[in-house]
Amino acid sequence: MKILEDAYELRNKKINKIELLKQEQKALDFWNNFENICKNPYENLSEVHEKHLLKCFGIYDKGDANSFTIRIRIPFGQLTPTQAKKFAQTSKTYGKSCVDLTTRGQIEFRNLKLHELPTVLKELESVGITTFQTAGDNFRGVITSPLDGYSKTSLISCETLFNDIQDVFLKNEDYIGTLPRKFNTGILGDSVNDCNIYGHDCAFVLASKDEELGFNLYLGGKVGVQARAVNLFVKPQDVKAVFKTIVDLFKKYGFRDNRNKNRMAYFLDEISTQEFEKAIIKASNLDLKSAGSLLVKDEYKIDETSTIKLKNNKTAIYFSIPAGIFSAEDLDELSDLMQNSNSVLRLTHEQSFFIITDDENIDLIKSSSIYKKYDSFHNIYFNNQIACAGTNECSFGVIQNKADAIEMALYLNTHIPISDAKIRMYWSACPKGCGVHGVADIGFEGAKAKDENGNSCDGVKIFIGGKATNSILEARQLSKAIPISKAQEVVKELLHIYKTQKLKNESFENFDSRVLSSLPIEEIQKRVGL
């Protein structure tokens, strides 16, 4: 532990402002007085509340007592009909019917009034849903496959392990707002990577060792940067202990100085992955073996039927939600459909969802108006799309983003329609990369550009070649900042190359590996008009 201790001493001689705020009041003490605070917000809300304590409970202060946002933790990304109905009713009553789907299989409500928040949060808790620890320096929603336990390629059902991980920190006073920085976690027991498994601070990834199934450990992922392999194989029964060991080491020795460099990735840069591996073994007191054979090698694809056949006579039906923008009215209709078909909803990291149902209910669901509205075959460019909040909701945003992503998909569907394809287009409104554009097939980073007259306008930098099935390769920058209208033309030409040269049913990711990655970036730029 000496190296961890030395790094801690070196990097924590002067802690940042948020760490000082954490010392002013315990998070649960604030929570226990939350109703009183909401009654007189202008008298009771201080900087410590706005910058730290509210976020510990998933609440974002947007600078107006009538425009708060809450991020809701959806365990397993799963909603029952009862929960969906409650969400719809709550959003209609308090949140102007706004329902945003996030990149961690969670949901955000916007336009909330501060004095109504205690009531809103109680409504959600009444159906087993909480906002605890979904923002700030906390554990964000744990990610797993939206088809976990159902998919034919699901070799380890992770629901119990998911709950074990969440039990470590959720509503545990020792872990509410006490981490050096936010902490993202994923666990995948499927050979198909349908949850960006390598993009987390801590990830357990399906593997085998000595004919036993378990997980290889990956650490240090963050927006646009894939996690690095740790030479450890974790048996299912050891997942909880290993996870707790990792977060306790991070909590104890992690950096609390420069908030821009306090994530797990920077900690590993300082001490090395090998030293942290040694610390895990020593602190956990477990007999952990070296990493096994990685079994996650595939990617999923939504075909023209919008369905994936599952185990036990069940089917997953895909609903493609443009830029994750949903509504309470849609959710209300969907909850009735779920109830009538005895189905559940599973959210995806690409801001859409599956309805999982018995095979006999497929026709019932597909004949519904809500399915016809969001049928994934209408426009394949919406199928694997991510777009973070943008300027409408985020002070860091450079471009609108969600509207830009939707406009791009509509433009491409008009000018270069493709059916047998999978193209992951991820949009980040600024360099912070919350839209994980760095791991997309085609990624967009919001920026200011110059139009043909030399005037400033909304633009993007374009990246290509991010990988869902590989934790090492990163996207390559295709363009500097260009106007969004120009970006549409460039992507159209790029997809023309893909459409005319790809193999049958070949995804853009595989096409990039087979064709584009071997070309100099200058050659691609020339061919797409840059």
Side-chain angles (χ1 to χ4, degrees):
M1 298 292 181
K2 182 70 164 57
I3 291 179
L4 277 70
E5 293 169 357
D6 290 346
Y8 175 83
E9 291 297 327
L10 180 66
R11 285 287 304 271
N12 291 286
K13 292 178 181 179
K14 184 178 180 180
I15 62 175
N16 64 66
K17 184 178 181 178
I18 299 299
E19 292 301 325
L20 295 175
L21 292 178
K22 291 177 185 178
Q23 297 173 11
E24 292 188 22
Q25 185 178 14
K26 288 185 177 180
L28 278 185
D29 289 343
F30 163 76
W31 182 250
N32 291 333
N33 193 40
F34 185 60
E35 287 194 48
N36 290 328
I37 290 173
C38 291
K39 291 176 182 177
N40 297 291
Y42 297 106
E43 295 178 17
N44 296 326
L45 272 183
S46 66
E47 185 178 41
V48 66
H49 300 140
E50 297 169 357
K51 300 295 185 183
H52 170 57
L53 291 172
L54 285 169
K55 292 179 181 178
C56 288
F57 304 97
I59 303 168
Y60 286 92
D61 181 354
K62 308 299 291 185
D64 184 315
N66 296 322
S67 64
F68 279 74
T69 293
I70 58 173
R71 181 177 295 155
I72 306 163
R73 185 181 296 276
I74 313 295
F76 233 58
Q78 178 168 296
L79 284 180
T80 65
T82 299
Q83 291 169 332
K85 178 66 73 173
K86 175 62 72 173
F87 271 38
Q89 293 170 345
T90 304
S91 179
K92 284 180 183 179
T93 304
Y94 303 103
K96 297 183 180 178
S97 294
C98 177
V99 177
D100 267 8
L101 311 185
T102 81
T103 59
R104 300 199 65 79
Q106 313 291 275
I107 287 176
E108 289 184 351
F109 284 178
R110 306 188 186 280
N111 309 307
L112 301 169
K113 297 178 181 178
L114 180 62
H115 74 272
E116 294 175 339
L117 281 180
T119 301
V120 171
L121 299 179
K122 285 178 182 178
E123 289 288 304
L124 299 178
E125 290 276 2
S126 72
V127 290
I129 298 295
T130 185
T131 62
F132 268 56
Q133 298 151 280
T134 54
D137 297 344
N138 286 284
F139 298 87
R140 305 302 174 85
V142 181
I143 287 285
T144 190
S145 166
L147 304 180
D148 181 86
Y150 290 105
S151 169
K152 292 180 179 180
T153 52
S154 179
L155 303 184
I156 299 178
S157 179
C158 291
E159 185 166 7
T160 298
L161 302 176
F162 180 101
N163 291 332
D164 285 344
I165 289 172
Q166 193 165 265
D167 284 346
V168 168
F169 63 83
L170 188 57
K171 297 188 177 181
N172 182 333
E173 183 174 10
D174 292 337
Y175 296 105
I176 302 178
T178 59
L179 296 179
R181 211 62 169 89
K182 71 176 181 180
F183 198 89
N184 292 335
T185 309
I187 183 166
L188 180 63
D190 201 300
S191 65
V192 175
N193 181 10
D194 55 3
C195 61
N196 187 27
I197 191 58
Y198 300 108
H200 309 284
D201 295 276
C202 174
F204 298 91
V205 187
L206 181 68
S208 64
K209 178 82 173 184
D210 300 330
E211 300 183 349
E212 182 177 9
L213 290 175
F215 305 92
N216 282 353
L217 181 63
Y218 287 76
L219 296 174
K222 59 190 182 73
V223 287
V225 176
Q226 301 288 55
R228 60 202 80 174
V230 180
N231 190 26
L232 292 176
F233 177 76
V234 183
K235 297 178 181 179
Q237 61 267 30
D238 293 331
V239 165
K240 183 175 184 178
V242 170
F243 174 76
K244 188 176 188 306
T245 298
I246 291 167
V247 298
D248 284 347
L249 288 170
F250 180 57
K251 178 184 172 187
K252 183 175 182 179
Y253 296 109
F255 305 145
R256 297 176 184 268
D257 53 353
N258 182 351
R259 285 186 63 78
N260 292 325
K261 294 187 177 181
N262 284 3
R263 290 285 295 273
M264 171 67 82
Y266 299 106
F267 185 54
L268 295 177
D269 287 343
E270 191 77 23
I271 66 170
S272 84
T273 305
Q274 292 74 24
E275 286 300 324
F276 197 68
E277 175 190 320
K278 294 175 185 177
I280 293 171
I281 294 172
K282 182 175 180 180
S284 68
N285 200 30
L286 293 171
D287 182 21
L288 298 173
K289 298 179 181 179
S290 60
S293 299
L294 192 66
L295 299 180
V296 178
K297 300 178 181 178
D298 304 315
E299 56 174 327
Y300 79 102
K301 178 178 178 293
I302 305 300
D303 65 17
E304 63 275 6
T305 70
S306 301
T307 60
I308 295 178
K309 187 75 175 107
L310 307 173
K311 301 174 183 175
N312 302 320
N313 298 316
K314 288 188 178 293
T315 292
I317 303 175
Y318 190 66
F319 287 66
S320 179
I321 313 302
I325 301 172
F326 209 46
S327 72
E329 288 74 18
D330 286 341
L331 190 56
D332 198 8
E333 182 179 348
L334 188 66
S335 66
D336 291 336
L337 180 63
M338 291 163 61
Q339 185 70 51
N340 294 335
S341 60
N342 191 31
S343 305
V344 296
L345 179 152
R346 287 273 183 95
L347 296 161
T348 76
H349 81 285
E350 291 177 326
Q351 299 175 299
S352 291
F353 58 81
F354 288 99
I355 293 298
I356 297 177
T357 191
D358 294 324
D359 290 349
E360 63 191 39
N361 294 320
I362 294 174
D363 290 342
L364 172 63
I365 292 174
K366 286 195 170 186
S367 64
S368 67
S369 59
I370 189 70
Y371 172 77
K372 292 175 181 177
K373 182 176 181 179
Y374 295 108
D375 180 359
S376 66
F377 196 58
H378 287 161
N379 185 336
I380 65 104
Y381 298 110
F382 286 134
N383 284 1
N384 303 101
Q385 183 189 70
I386 287 175
C388 67
T391 51
N392 287 345
E393 296 294 340
C394 178
S395 60
F396 296 108
V398 180
I399 61 175
Q400 289 188 50
N401 209 50
K402 284 184 179 288
D404 300 318
I406 291 172
E407 186 178 347
M408 173 71 82
L410 294 172
Y411 172 88
L412 294 173
N413 198 48
T414 298
H415 290 86
I416 185 160
I418 309 178
S419 56
D420 62 331
K422 177 185 176 183
I423 308 157
R424 296 179 300 113
M425 294 191 190
Y426 298 168
W427 289 70
S428 297
C430 78
K432 285 183 174 293
C434 293
V436 294
H437 65 278
V439 297
D441 293 327
I442 306 174
F444 305 89
E445 178 189 303
K448 286 301 177 184
K450 296 288 187 182
D451 64 20
E452 57 186 12
N453 297 317
N455 299 316
S456 178
C457 65
D458 285 356
V460 289
K461 298 176 183 178
I462 303 175
F463 298 78
I464 61 170
K467 302 298 180 214
T469 55
N470 189 299
S471 67
I472 300 173
L473 298 177
E474 295 182 6
R476 312 178 304 282
Q477 185 167 343
L478 180 65
S479 81
K480 61 181 182 180
I482 58 176
I484 291 176
S485 57
K486 174 65 174 177
Q488 292 175 349
E489 297 172 5
V490 167
V491 175
K492 179 186 71 172
E493 294 304 317
L494 182 63
L495 292 178
H496 177 74
I497 297 171
Y498 168 56
K499 183 176 183 178
T500 56
Q501 296 185 31
K502 77 180 189 68
L503 304 175
K504 185 178 181 179
N505 293 319
E506 184 177 33
S507 68
F508 191 96
E509 179 169 334
N510 288 339
F511 177 77
D512 179 77
S513 297
R514 183 176 64 85
V515 177
L516 297 180
S517 61
S518 62
L519 298 177
I521 199 70
E522 295 81 7
E523 164 111 3
I524 302 173
Q525 289 171 335
K526 182 178 179 180
R527 293 176 65 178
V528 299
L530 286 170

